Amino acid sequence: RHVIGLDALRFIAAMLVVAYHYGFWFWVNPSPVSSPGLQHLISFPELFSSTHFGWVGVQIFFVISGFVIAFSGERAGAYAFMVSRVVRLGPGVWICASVTLVVVLIGGEWSVYHTLRAYLHSVLFIPVAPWIDYAYWTLGIEIVFYSLVFLLVLRGKFVWINRLAMVVGLVSTLFWLMAWMASIGDAGPFAQLMQQLRRSRILALLLVHHGIFFALGIFLWLALVKHRSRENQLWCVFFCAAGCLQIALTAAATNQTTGSAFSAWTPVLFWLGAVVWVVLSVRKNHRVHALPQWFLRLLKTVGMMTFPLYLLHQVAGAQLMSSLVQAGAGRWVALGGALLFSLCGAWLVAVHAEPALQRLTKQVLLRVGTRFSFG
């Protein structure tokens, strides 16, 4: 049955990312993507200590993806699997990127050429920058992971999903062990090389940076849904430990970039709490389904809102915040307005706009499949 607890966890992860951008990142490390002029207008230092770790929401997303894609890949043919992924990602991206495009053009901070190029990179799922919103950096990584699972399904080798998880997870773990060794040594050539590799988009697309989390999601699915064997449980523990290492090193890098000194324990503990949430969501799913129907519908709705919320909040939210401040609004009003826009926009997209475009996209792809005998 549908694991409703994962819907709630998705929304929490998205809100962590929103809080990170609105409460910390915009003010300590602005970029052209998130309206750098906003930093000179307002700031929220009161929120830094409670929002600095929100980036860990992305790692939570990747674990959920590993779990859900393994769950859905087992039950689908190759073409059906591909259709489900296109329908899941495409309409949301096309709608949200278009909304952001309008907001950016109205704001007038980017050149028209750069704006249109970033828009095309986004709606065509081109995995390298520029994008209309930097949140799109994760989509290329997700698509590479989907593609690997698709190849297993296509060749009738889905039973090798555990091998895929082992390879991807172990390569990623080895990389972060090397990064940790470089971080505790002198700032020599090896440390400089690892710094460059940690910023490499190619390695990110090869799942070297985040493969740990997809692997953990797959093994959680294996251990909780398929085979509750000691081997699968040990792999879960192993990739949990590797994930903690990656998060700790990412926290240290964030501190270095922003001149902060926050503890790495906060994002590590939040992430471990999310892993426990996944476990409990699966094991107690039958009890969750016994809750009142209105509450279950609410959880499903916020789960649907997660993707548009993630795609809409950063650039469009920053532009709105900047406009409100320039119009005379206080900083907290501007923050509240951006948050309200992001949540309401995500709800409108998820409940009204996205389902219609998803149905249309699915119909077109199924007709193509029938026409060319895919399936």
Side-chain angles (χ1 to χ4, degrees), residues 107-240:
E109 292 191 15
W110 300 359
S111 70
V112 174
Y113 169 78
H114 176 79
T115 301
L116 293 178
R117 183 181 174 215
Y119 175 73
L120 289 175
H121 273 234
S122 302
V123 298
L124 296 177
F125 292 91
I126 296 175
V128 293
W131 301 287
I132 198 71
D133 188 308
Y134 198 69
Y136 289 75
W137 73 270
T138 62
L139 297 188
I141 296 170
E142 292 270 5
I143 290 171
V144 170
F145 174 63
Y146 297 166
S147 299
L148 292 175
V149 178
F150 170 78
L151 290 176
L152 290 182
V153 176
L154 180 65
R155 295 184 60 85
K157 301 292 185 181
F158 185 80
V159 292
W160 290 1
I161 189 72
N162 60 330
R163 302 183 187 181
L164 173 65
M166 289 178 195
V167 172
V168 169
L170 287 173
V171 169
S172 183
T173 300
L174 178 61
F175 175 83
W176 288 106
L177 284 171
M178 293 171 62
W180 172 69
M181 292 171 59
S183 69
I184 61 177
D186 297 330
F190 178 59
Q192 295 174 9
L193 174 62
M194 291 307 302
Q195 287 291 337
Q196 293 176 359
L197 294 178
R198 288 174 65 171
R199 293 190 293 266
S200 169
R201 180 61 179 169
I202 294 176
L203 290 186
L205 291 173
L206 292 174
L207 306 184
V208 173
H209 293 168
H210 301 96
I212 294 166
F213 306 103
F214 293 110
L216 175 60
I218 291 172
F219 273 108
L220 283 172
W221 173 75
L222 288 168
L224 295 170
V225 178
K226 300 301 294 180
H227 310 291
R228 194 175 297 180
S229 65
R230 177 174 292 275
E231 180 184 356
N232 288 334
Q233 292 172 346
L234 288 175
W235 279 112
C236 288
V237 172
F238 177 80
F239 287 126
C240 267

Side-chain angles (χ1 to χ4, degrees), residues 7 23 77 81 87 103 151 192 224 242 264 281 305 318 339-340 358 363:
D7 291 326
F81 178 80
V87 170
V103 172
L151 290 176
Q192 295 174 9
L224 295 170
S281 294
M305 289 171 55
L339 183 59
L340 183 63
Q358 285 177 329
Q363 289 172 4

